[in-house]
Amino acid sequence: MNVSYQWLSQYVDLQDVDSRTLAELLTRGGVEVDAVESRNAGVSEGVLVGYVKAREKHPNADKLSVCTVDVGAGEDLQIVCGAQNVAAGQKVPVATVGSVLPGDFKIKKAKLRDVESYGMICSAKELGLNEKMLPKEQQEGILVLPADSEIGRTIQDFFGLADEVLELGLTPNRSDCLSMLGVAYEVAALLGRDVQLPEVNGALSALANGDLSAADHVKVNIEASEGCSLYSARIIDGVRIAPSPQWLQNRLLAAGVRPINNVVDVTNFVMLEYGQPLHAFDRLRLSEGIIKVRFAREGESLETLDGQVRTLQSSMLVIADGEQAVALAGVMGGASSEVTAETTRILLESAKFAGAVVRKTSRQLGLRSESSLRFEKEVNVDAVMAALDRAAVLIAELAGGTIAEGIVSASTATTDPLTVGIKLTKINDYLGTSLTGTEVQAIFERLRLGSQWSSADDAFQVTIPKRRGDISRDVDLIEEVARLYGYDNIPTSLVYGDTTVGALSPAQAVRRTVRRTLAGFGLDEVINYSFTHPQKSAVVPGVYGDKPAVKLALPMSEERSVLRQSLIPHLLDVVAHNRNHNQADVAVFEIGHVFVTDEEKLSKLPEQPLHLGLLLTGLMQSAQWLQAGRAVDFFDLKGVLERLLASLGIFDVTYSLHAADGFHPGRTAQLTVERNGQTVVLGVAGQLHPQVQQEQDLADTYVAELDMYVIASLVDTQIAYRALPRFPESKRDLALVVGREVASSTMVDVIRQVGGELLQSVQVFDVYTGEKIDASKKSVAFSLVFRHDDRTLQDEEVQSIIERILQALADTFAAILRS
Amino acid sequence: MRERLEALQQAALADLQNVETQQQLNDLRIQYLGKKGELTEVLRGMAQLSAEERPLVGQVTNETRKAIEDVIEQKQALFARLETERRLQSETIDVTLPGRAVRAGALHPLNKIIEEVEDIFIGMGYTVEEGPEVEQDHYNFEMLNLPKDHPARDMQDTFYVTEEILLRTHTSPVQVRTMLAKKGEVPVKIICPGRVYRRDDDDATHSHMFTQIEGLVIDKKVRMSDLKGTLLQFVKQMFGEQTQIRLRPSFFPFTEPSAEVDVTCVMCKGHGCRVCKQTGWLEILGSGMVHPRVLEMAGYDPQEYSGFAFGMGVERIAMLKYGIDDIRHFYTGDLRFLRQFARL
């Protein structure tokens, strides 16, 4: 809603309140003003209405003309003009020498092809007017003003440019401020002043036509009561369609509504004034004059004012003349009964259509109008008749008609005014204030809410006017009190009650540890979108199998049409993005939800596990002056995972070679642990399949995806202290030659088993393949540490265990001690 | 004999004076003091001396030896010092060269803000609650006083999966789920961080996916002044002790009264600048007293209990705090962006 300051000041005294102050007042009161714009884009005083007395061809230029212009200054001005449409006898805007146009364009005396020019005849654009709001014929060339425009009048005054427009950013509850009067009530309440309503009744009787009864020319029938609770109509006869007077056009222009003709302009003016949309039918183009408010028949068609033929649905409300639909109720009129230049008799409609019905119709047709916008939010039923009378008077005044006797109306529901009770203590308890009954009463009075205060009951009975449909409960009244009292005046306090202990849940704490640990290892944290392309979702299918993705019903693009099932595809996008910025070394992680379902169409919420994704590619260590760069490999990834999981107390993870689509079959592991006899899968880690790498134009890339909920369930934060050893340890290294296919972890298992309690630790410290041994073999070197808790071990004891270990390794793997 | 010794001493000291290398020093030591050295040579003559002269000459001999040895020792010390100096000189490195790289990653700026906010409220006795991102219309709207066809649903244009299942448009459904799980118990003191989704075309200030943190308190006698006090305490901790708040009436379907909350501009400290459009204030929070319908539906009697709720956009706070000009940076994984946040 765009509110003209000058227009608003017709209803509330704003003499001591400028537009900026007003904007601040409204914003702080809860009606946010997004912007205050001057209507004057920069037209100075010396731009005047001029009269073109004569136009002659420029002697030296085909496209120019030399005009003699009277601007009421005594002496006529000679002005060279380049516009094709300039003609003698026109009234035009003239920027005289010394005046300024928008863009700080100063008008000087000029010589154009040897002819002197004392000013400039202006187009609408040069005046900074919004051309789109003007009739077509005023958009091209110089702006031709009405013939009756007063010569010498300033253009500022002519277009009412000494005005500011407040752009309201209204919240859905304050649809009462979709009208000048609604804003006036609000401003009056905030300032504690009166509202001056338009005077209608006197004019109404003056313009009445006693010979004509509305009832003879229109009947009203509401057949769909759920769509319309009140329909009223007047007949205005003998109108002459013409452009509206400039003051009315200026009001509409200020509000951003395009002037059309006097009748339509009045309906729009009154809509803006009262918030009540009106519609004017050409009565003589309606064949029967029997208005029926009914739902459309499925498939029924109607040509609307915008020239489009609409196919209607049975949920849409129409106004029919007899059987024929002639308007889409509350949304747009029909072409067949549109007011035209020939119209003489007007049927003026003012009604209350149900918000939900209008909203649905407007949505289904993709057709929104100033009218539908207001009906959707429920118009004020008390303004229906008032707006009808106001518009009838203005039409008769401006279009020269008379008003037929009486209103023809039908209503299906009348509602008593709502009364809401509230106790003073509740107000104060709720706000933390200590207002008195008198103070609250004064606030209700400023808001023009009828209130009765009973000090015995400590309670108010408040009658809510229909224009404030947003007030229906006690808390709504509390908000009104708080608003008017001023949110700034509410004290600050802290919640009473028992102290509560705040904390992260264990799973949340684990998440923080994981993030910090990974950042500490040098991985950067990323956050990627949850929406993805259906094909992207299938890049690394191995993580989630081939379940269907959750699809958006109306995606904004195919690129973002399904929910991700894995974190990996977007991590690959991160690599691509950084590669495009010359950064090939990427080590990143993300913790985020993925979405898993078995259903093609969801009947219940999908599973939404929280995953941890990691990606390493390029150099693990970048080349530096003292060390060469080193490319990432599987063991960098595994090292990160091992250290991460160990820091969470998860030490017993098994990494087993794992075949998964999209992964390198020889360089991918599944991570599992055994708990209570069950194998629990943590996730998968490995190199992308070389084919995927090639398709995605990636270097060797290692990725892992783990389930954070599983990890959280395995976390063991209990630290069991063990006394420091008192006896020395005995250390032995063994290098064993085995077949290349033997997994080192299985050798460790055997060593541990045979080593028993005395074997404190066993670690692989070297793996060798090459010239010195058979090509089908590898040498694996282990470092073994033995210790007894209560005494020093004898060499012979250790030696005997070593021999047993060697024997077992020989038996199991045909391992030979490397000499 | 004595004369010979004195001459020897003088000669030795004169030689030593000119010594420049360790080798020369060693040679002179052998020349004068060695087994076949000149002093030994002189001492051989002792046998011819009388018993009375012997102690005297012996004393002089010792003095001579001592004098030579002292000078040699001094020279030795000097050479050692020079040697050390030479070694240190040769070991000198360019300390301005960069150190051996230790990798350090960066936490995502949005998560840094979330943690900061969480920690402030945890300190005030709140717990952190979470819920599903794909949510039921029921929890996202209906239970929040937004029945189907409510005009206010336009405020949050929604991604639907089916008619009943959608991408949550705010983290408020977590509040609903928490209240229902509490089955009428009080106090409820929670904050709910999480991703939310709205049908917005992505540009510098809009994102179809963004991050919210909401808070909810329900107890007996919770007042709007408590909301103001709580938010004031929060913004002082988040943005600095001098930060003030200003509440403006607003509308949310799930609160009544509702308020937009402005804080003192973090850039200009309230003096007025480009960021705050010269107002000195920045709008960063929405808030209000929990609507009685919402309490009722979640199983709390509004006659007995009241509560407040608030919510903020994490991206907006991060953008203000770090001076980031484009919301899309949060989601592109650009390392040049992310690494700027590799600080605690």
Side-chain angles (χ1 to χ4, degrees):
Chain A
M1 176 83 186
N2 290 342
V3 174
S4 150
Y5 173 86
Q6 293 296 346
W7 188 359
L8 186 66
S9 64
Q10 307 273 296
Y11 312 113
V12 193
D13 178 9
L14 294 176
Q15 274 185 31
D16 54 345
V17 184
D18 66 18
S19 59
R20 303 270 153 196
T21 314
L22 180 65
E24 179 70 8
L25 183 77
L26 279 165
T27 298
R28 305 283 288 122
V31 174
E32 190 166 354
V33 178
D34 290 337
V36 180
E37 303 274 1
S38 170
R39 284 211 62 218
N40 188 344
V43 175
S44 77
E45 291 229 323
V47 185
L48 308 169
V49 177
Y51 174 65
V52 183
K53 284 181 151 173
R55 176 207 175 185
E56 293 183 19
K57 234 180 113 313
H58 190 291
N60 305 327
D62 285 347
K63 290 187 171 169
L64 298 180
S65 43
V66 180
C67 304
T68 307
V69 183
D70 175 7
V71 292
E75 205 167 315
D76 290 345
L77 302 177
Q78 172 175 291
I79 295 174
V80 178
C81 181
Q84 295 305 295
N85 65 330
V86 66
Q90 286 172 340
K91 298 275 178 64
V92 290
V94 178
T96 58
V97 172
S99 68
V100 184
L101 290 175
D104 205 22
F105 178 40
K106 295 187 179 71
I107 303 300
K108 295 175 188 142
K109 189 176 110 181
K111 204 176 236 184
L112 288 123
R113 299 264 178 127
D114 296 331
V115 177
E116 292 197 319
S117 179
Y118 295 86
M120 181 173 130
I121 302 177
C122 306
S123 67
K125 197 176 180 182
E126 283 156 348
L127 295 174
L129 300 176
N130 184 353
E131 301 156 87
K132 289 188 195 106
M133 285 292 140
L134 297 174
K136 284 226 168 53
E137 64 273 17
Q138 291 192 328
Q139 291 179 22
E140 291 291 320
I142 55 151
L143 178 60
V144 180
L145 303 174
D148 59 357
S149 306
E150 181 193 337
I151 296 169
R153 189 175 173 196
T154 68
I155 288 297
Q156 283 183 2
D157 189 35
F158 186 88
F159 283 107
L161 299 183
D163 190 8
E164 274 101 40
V165 175
L166 284 69
E167 290 172 20
L168 307 187
L170 289 176
T171 52
N173 59 324
R174 292 308 302 272
S175 54
D176 58 306
C177 289
L178 283 170
S179 66
M180 295 303 295
L181 283 170
V183 176
Y185 278 115
E186 176 71 12
V187 171
L190 292 168
L191 289 171
R193 293 185 184 171
D194 285 335
V195 175
Q196 196 67 45
L197 293 176
E199 166 53 35
V200 174
N201 287 340
L204 197 60
S205 45
L207 294 162
N209 181 342
D211 301 336
L212 203 63
S213 168
D216 294 341
H217 297 273
V218 60
K219 306 261 180 297
V220 174
N221 234 322
I222 301 174
E223 292 178 358
S225 58
E226 62 272 48
C228 178
S229 55
L230 174 62
Y231 192 103
S232 61
R234 275 192 179 275
I235 299 287
I236 303 118
D237 191 42
V239 300
R240 246 189 54 236
I241 304 301
S244 299
Q246 196 61 40
W247 70 262
L248 177 53
Q249 293 197 30
N250 289 346
R251 290 282 186 249
L252 296 183
L253 288 171
V257 174
R258 186 156 89 162
I260 294 169
N261 61 46
N262 47 12
V263 170
V264 175
D265 289 355
V266 165
T267 61
N268 283 331
F269 176 85
V270 175
M271 171 184 73
L272 292 168
E273 190 175 44
Y274 284 80
Q276 169 62 41
L278 303 166
H279 184 64
F281 295 94
D282 183 336
R283 171 62 189 88
L284 299 179
R285 294 176 75 193
L286 294 176
S287 52
E288 303 192 28
I290 301 169
I291 294 293
K292 285 185 181 165
V293 185
R294 63 164 169 86
F295 283 107
R297 286 184 268 278
E298 196 69 36
E300 189 173 2
S301 74
L302 171 68
E303 186 185 349
T304 42
L305 281 176
D306 54 6
Q308 297 229 31
V309 178
R310 314 263 176 186
T311 305
L312 309 181
Q313 297 169 27
S314 58
S315 59
M316 299 173 178
L317 196 68
V318 296
I319 308 302
D321 170 41
E323 287 313 298
Q324 184 64 41
V326 290
L328 263 176
V331 180
M332 196 174 269
S336 67
S337 55
E338 184 182 1
V339 171
T340 66
E342 285 74 44
T343 300
T344 56
R345 184 174 291 174
I346 298 290
L347 189 167
L348 189 62
E349 162 200 291
S350 184
K352 177 166 170 63
F353 300 118
V357 172
V358 173
R359 177 181 158 85
K360 199 164 179 193
T361 305
S362 153
R363 288 223 147 181
Q364 280 166 334
L365 293 174
L367 184 60
R368 303 200 76 189
S369 60
E370 289 281 335
S371 163
S372 68
L373 180 86
R374 286 174 173 77
F375 280 120
E376 274 179 28
K377 291 176 176 160
E378 299 297 347
V379 296
N380 169 11
V381 72
D382 285 351
V384 170
M385 299 283 191
L388 180 67
D389 287 349
R390 167 75 161 155
V393 164
L394 282 173
I395 288 173
E397 280 175 359
L398 301 178
T402 55
I403 303 167
E405 202 68 52
I407 293 176
V408 179
S409 74
S411 69
T412 59
T414 49
T415 46
D416 293 329
L418 182 69
T419 306
V420 179
I422 185 161
K423 283 182 177 284
L424 179 62
T425 46
K426 167 120 193 203
I427 295 174
N428 284 323
D429 283 352
Y430 214 70
L431 297 176
T433 49
S434 42
L435 294 165
T436 64
T438 319
E439 284 172 303
V440 173
Q441 178 98 9
I443 287 172
F444 289 148
E445 275 164 19
R446 279 162 66 190
L447 288 161
R448 287 173 178 68
L449 307 177
S451 71
Q452 287 200 319
W453 160 242
S454 154
S455 56
D457 301 343
D458 172 47
F460 291 95
Q461 285 298 319
V462 185
T463 309
I464 314 297
K466 294 282 187 211
R467 66 185 160 81
R468 289 301 306 272
D470 59 316
I471 304 176
S472 62
R473 304 179 63 126
D474 56 358
V475 285
D476 301 328
L477 285 174
I478 293 175
E479 177 169 78
E480 292 302 301
V481 171
R483 265 181 354 102
L484 273 281
Y485 176 60
Y487 277 18
D488 283 345
N489 298 321
I490 295 172
T492 58
S493 58
L494 288 177
V495 186
Y496 300 121
D498 299 337
T499 312
T500 51
V501 177
L504 292 175
S505 71
Q508 290 161 349
V510 165
R511 216 177 304 156
R512 282 202 188 182
T513 305
V514 168
R515 292 176 45 244
R516 288 229 147 63
T517 305
L518 291 174
F521 293 164
L523 280 73
D524 296 307
E525 186 179 26
V526 297
I527 297 175
N528 287 308
Y529 294 133
S530 303
F531 297 168
T532 191
H533 192 287
Q535 274 165 14
K536 208 172 258 177
S537 181
V539 169
V540 194
V543 175
Y544 51 84
D546 52 1
K547 292 184 171 182
V550 175
K551 296 174 194 65
L552 297 181
L554 280 170
M556 293 175 78
S557 67
E558 171 130 46
E559 192 61 31
R560 296 189 184 143
S561 58
V562 301
L563 294 178
R564 62 182 179 182
Q565 295 157 288
S566 159
L567 302 179
I568 292 171
H570 281 167
L571 292 177
L572 301 182
D573 286 351
V574 168
V575 175
H577 175 89
N578 284 292
R579 186 187 51 214
N580 292 343
H581 294 98
N582 284 324
Q583 177 54 273
D585 308 330
V586 177
V588 291
F589 73 97
E590 175 177 11
I591 294 177
H593 288 280
V594 298
F595 305 86
V596 185
T597 177
D598 292 321
E599 301 179 302
E600 276 298 333
K601 185 174 185 335
L602 295 190
S603 64
K604 58 181 189 306
L605 293 185
E607 282 177 54
Q608 304 176 44
L610 187 68
H611 277 193
L612 165 64
L614 295 94
L615 180 147
L616 302 175
T617 188
L619 298 179
M620 190 63 189
Q621 223 159 40
S622 53
Q624 234 194 335
W625 64 276
L626 39 56
Q627 65 203 7
R630 185 173 67 71
V632 169
D633 65 23
F634 175 82
F635 296 101
D636 286 312
L637 179 64
K638 185 173 174 184
V640 164
L641 292 172
E642 283 176 327
R643 188 63 232 138
L644 172 71
L645 294 169
S647 71
L648 300 170
I650 309 170
F651 296 102
D652 57 342
V653 180
T654 301
Y655 294 76
S656 45
L657 192 63
H658 183 64
D661 288 347
F663 284 92
H664 190 308
R667 296 185 172 179
T668 300
Q670 188 178 45
L671 283 67
T672 54
V673 295
E674 300 295 322
R675 287 291 182 279
N676 309 321
Q678 299 280 315
T679 301
V680 180
V681 178
L682 282 77
V684 61
Q687 186 183 348
L688 280 187
H689 197 286
Q691 202 181 328
V692 175
Q693 291 183 171
Q694 199 183 348
E695 281 160 13
Q696 302 263 314
D697 196 15
L698 296 166
D700 281 0
T701 302
Y702 294 87
V703 293
E705 184 152 355
L706 281 72
D707 189 317
M708 284 295 293
Y709 293 154
V710 172
I711 290 175
S713 73
L714 296 171
V715 165
D716 180 3
T717 52
Q718 289 291 324
I719 294 174
Y721 173 74
R722 282 181 9 197
L724 300 184
R726 287 158 53 219
F727 296 93
E729 60 185 26
S730 180
K731 204 173 158 191
R732 298 295 158 91
D733 290 349
L734 297 177
L736 292 144
V737 177
V738 291
R740 282 196 175 200
E741 72 291 347
V742 175
S744 62
S745 67
T746 55
M747 297 175 77
V748 170
D749 290 345
V750 168
I751 295 171
R752 282 228 170 90
Q753 200 185 341
V754 179
E757 281 184 6
L758 296 182
L759 178 63
Q760 299 285 314
S761 74
V762 51
Q763 273 185 325
V764 177
F765 73 89
D766 188 38
V767 177
Y768 173 80
T769 55
E771 292 167 8
K772 294 177 188 165
I773 54 173
D774 190 302
S776 66
K777 307 279 188 187
K778 64 180 173 184
S779 162
V780 187
F782 300 91
S783 175
L784 285 67
V785 175
F786 297 91
R787 190 173 54 229
H788 197 293
D789 285 344
D790 303 325
R791 60 183 172 82
T792 303
L793 278 178
Q794 303 298 310
D795 266 1
E796 302 78 57
E797 284 177 278
V798 175
Q799 195 51 42
S800 107
I801 301 173
I802 292 287
E803 272 158 25
R804 277 189 285 127
I805 287 173
L806 288 174
Q807 189 59 52
L809 291 171
D811 292 349
T812 320
F813 306 107
I816 301 164
L817 190 62
R818 193 175 167 204
S819 47
Chain B
M1 190 108 183
R2 176 182 288 204
E3 290 76 27
R4 277 184 67 192
L5 282 169
E6 277 170 5
L8 179 73
Q9 182 174 341
Q10 265 175 15
L13 293 183
D15 283 349
L16 283 168
Q17 189 99 54
N18 299 321
V19 156
E20 278 172 354
T21 68
Q22 181 73 44
Q23 187 58 47
Q24 284 172 341
L25 187 65
N26 291 347
D27 291 350
L28 283 177
R29 186 206 304 271
I30 293 164
Q31 184 188 333
Y32 289 104
L33 303 179
K35 277 182 190 161
K36 293 174 182 168
E38 292 181 23
L39 189 65
T40 317
E41 192 71 16
V42 173
L43 290 178
R44 286 214 183 98
M46 289 267 280
Q48 289 136 34
L49 293 177
S50 67
E52 297 83 49
E53 275 182 317
R54 245 183 239 173
L56 206 65
V57 172
Q59 194 191 338
V60 176
T61 306
N62 281 340
E63 282 167 11
T64 304
R65 178 184 290 273
K66 178 82 168 53
I68 296 170
E69 272 174 354
D70 280 354
V71 174
I72 289 175
E73 224 164 83
Q74 281 167 21
K75 283 285 175 186
Q76 189 65 54
L78 176 68
F79 285 146
R81 204 168 71 235
L82 289 173
E83 177 56 28
T84 305
E85 270 171 24
R86 229 184 343 265
R87 205 180 80 227
L88 293 178
Q89 187 70 42
S90 73
E91 284 174 0
T92 299
I93 54 167
D94 178 359
V95 297
T96 65
L97 282 168
R100 199 166 265 117
V102 175
R103 288 184 68 103
L107 295 179
H108 197 282
L110 294 177
N111 283 333
K112 287 169 85 91
I113 299 284
I114 290 177
E115 286 191 6
E116 219 176 312
V117 175
E118 282 176 349
D119 288 344
I120 292 171
F121 282 101
I122 285 171
M124 290 157 81
Y126 290 61
T127 57
V128 179
E129 299 294 335
E130 293 163 308
E133 293 176 18
V134 178
E135 183 54 284
Q136 294 175 32
D137 185 280
H138 180 70
Y139 291 113
N140 192 75
F141 287 129
E142 283 164 47
M143 291 289 284
L144 289 159
N145 200 25
L146 273 155
K148 290 209 166 68
D149 283 329
H150 193 286
R153 281 202 184 196
D154 286 351
M155 286 165 91
Q156 318 182 343
D157 212 352
T158 310
F159 287 110
Y160 279 92
V161 175
T162 69
E163 275 189 16
E164 298 301 329
I165 295 175
L166 46 72
L167 273 294
R168 66 179 179 192
T169 56
H170 44 197
T171 54
S172 311
V174 183
Q175 302 185 10
V176 174
R177 285 174 176 273
T178 307
M179 286 188 275
L180 290 171
K182 285 249 186 184
K183 295 187 190 303
E185 248 177 67
V186 289
V188 178
K189 274 172 95 173
I190 59 166
I191 58 163
C192 321
R195 309 251 169 274
V196 300
Y197 304 82
R198 291 186 196 173
R199 294 185 77 91
D200 263 328
D201 286 317
D202 293 350
D203 61 24
T205 54
H206 295 86
S207 179
H208 71 278
M209 176 177 107
F210 60 102
T211 317
Q212 266 195 342
I213 301 178
E214 294 189 4
L216 173 72
V217 172
I218 297 172
D219 207 338
K220 289 189 176 175
K221 290 207 170 181
V222 174
R223 302 156 295 176
M224 193 157 168
S225 55
D226 299 336
L227 168 65
K228 276 185 82 171
T230 301
L231 293 181
L232 185 62
Q233 191 172 338
F234 163 65
V235 301
K236 279 176 181 285
Q237 287 191 60
M238 188 77 195
F239 300 110
E241 195 50 39
Q242 77 293 339
T243 312
Q244 290 299 320
I245 55 168
R246 188 177 81 164
L247 272 64
R248 281 180 289 116
S250 187
F251 170 76
F252 305 107
F254 27 87
T255 50
E256 187 82 17
S258 303
E260 297 275 8
V261 183
D262 300 335
V263 301
T264 316
C265 177
V266 294
M267 297 292 165
C268 62
K269 312 290 175 210
H271 299 296
C273 68
R274 190 185 53 83
V275 173
C276 60
K277 296 186 181 124
Q278 309 304 329
T279 61
W281 296 98
L282 293 170
E283 180 186 322
I284 63 152
L285 285 143
S287 68
M289 299 296 289
V290 180
H291 197 285
R293 282 288 296 144
V294 174
L295 289 175
E296 267 161 18
M297 285 188 282
Y300 290 86
D301 178 359
Q303 297 308 322
E304 193 174 350
Y305 299 106
S306 55
F308 63 74
F310 55 87
M312 65 196 102
V314 178
E315 281 80 357
R316 176 156 169 80
I317 292 177
M319 289 171 87
L320 289 170
K321 180 159 177 154
Y322 301 123
I324 297 166
D325 58 354
D326 193 325
I327 196 170
R328 289 168 293 199
H329 287 324
F330 292 117
Y331 299 106
T332 45
D334 192 317
L335 298 178
R336 298 167 304 172
F337 173 80
L338 296 170
R339 293 218 171 125
Q340 297 183 41
F341 303 95
R343 238 184 285 175
L344 290 177

